[in-house]
Amino acid sequence: MTIQRVGWALKGPRKVSAISDNVRSFLTDQFNSGVITGHKVDATTVAKQMKILKNSDGNYQFLPGEWRTAKQIASFFSRLASTQRKTQASQPVSHEEKTDFNDADLLS
């Protein structure tokens, strides 16, 4: 029988780091390209791109400390989508947008 240290199952403190402006602009550009093209960008693909993307000098664009996991990127995209929906919902629909359909469109 071995004796365990007291507190061995306790989790250690988490390291919290804020997203830099460079990473934030890259992720926002990726999200916006998905909105414009209609093809959502996969968070795992973006995470892999962050690790291999190089700038014009041939150096890596992101340092390892700036890399984000797919889960963190998906969460960031979710927050962007939420704020986008809120801003679109708060804008009133114009009269032309309300009357662009007829009864045949509703039945089909």
Side-chain angles (χ1 to χ4, degrees), residues 51-107:
K51 294 179 181 180
I52 61 173
L53 192 64
K54 294 186 179 186
N55 57 19
S56 60
D57 300 337
N59 297 326
Y60 288 106
Q61 187 170 349
F62 302 106
L63 299 173
E66 295 176 317
W67 294 346
R68 297 293 175 238
T69 63
K71 187 173 181 177
Q72 290 172 322
I73 293 170
S75 177
F76 184 81
F77 285 170
S78 175
R79 286 192 307 272
L80 284 178
S82 176
T83 57
Q84 185 183 39
R85 282 191 300 270
K86 286 179 184 177
T87 57
Q88 287 177 351
S90 65
Q91 296 174 353
V93 178
S94 68
H95 180 67
E96 292 82 21
E97 292 173 354
K98 290 180 186 176
T99 59
D100 274 346
F101 58 89
N102 55 25
D103 290 337
D105 291 331
L106 295 175
L107 297 175

Side-chain angles (χ1 to χ4, degrees), residues 9-88:
L10 299 176
K11 293 182 179 180
R14 293 193 307 175
K15 182 180 174 186
V16 178
S17 61
I19 297 177
S20 68
D21 291 336
N22 186 21
V23 174
R24 186 180 309 274
S25 66
F26 172 73
L27 293 177
T28 305
D29 290 342
Q30 293 291 316
F31 178 80
N32 289 335
S33 71
V35 169
I36 291 169
T37 62
H39 295 88
K40 289 184 184 179
V41 181
D42 185 37
T44 56
T45 306
V46 175
K48 289 177 185 176
Q49 281 181 346
M50 287 183 78
K51 294 179 181 180
I52 61 173
L53 192 64
K54 294 186 179 186
N55 57 19
S56 60
D57 300 337
N59 297 326
Y60 288 106
Q61 187 170 349
F62 302 106
L63 299 173
E66 295 176 317
W67 294 346
R68 297 293 175 238
T69 63
K71 187 173 181 177
Q72 290 172 322
I73 293 170
S75 177
F76 184 81
F77 285 170
S78 175
R79 286 192 307 272
L80 284 178
S82 176
T83 57
Q84 185 183 39
R85 282 191 300 270
K86 286 179 184 177
T87 57
Q88 287 177 351

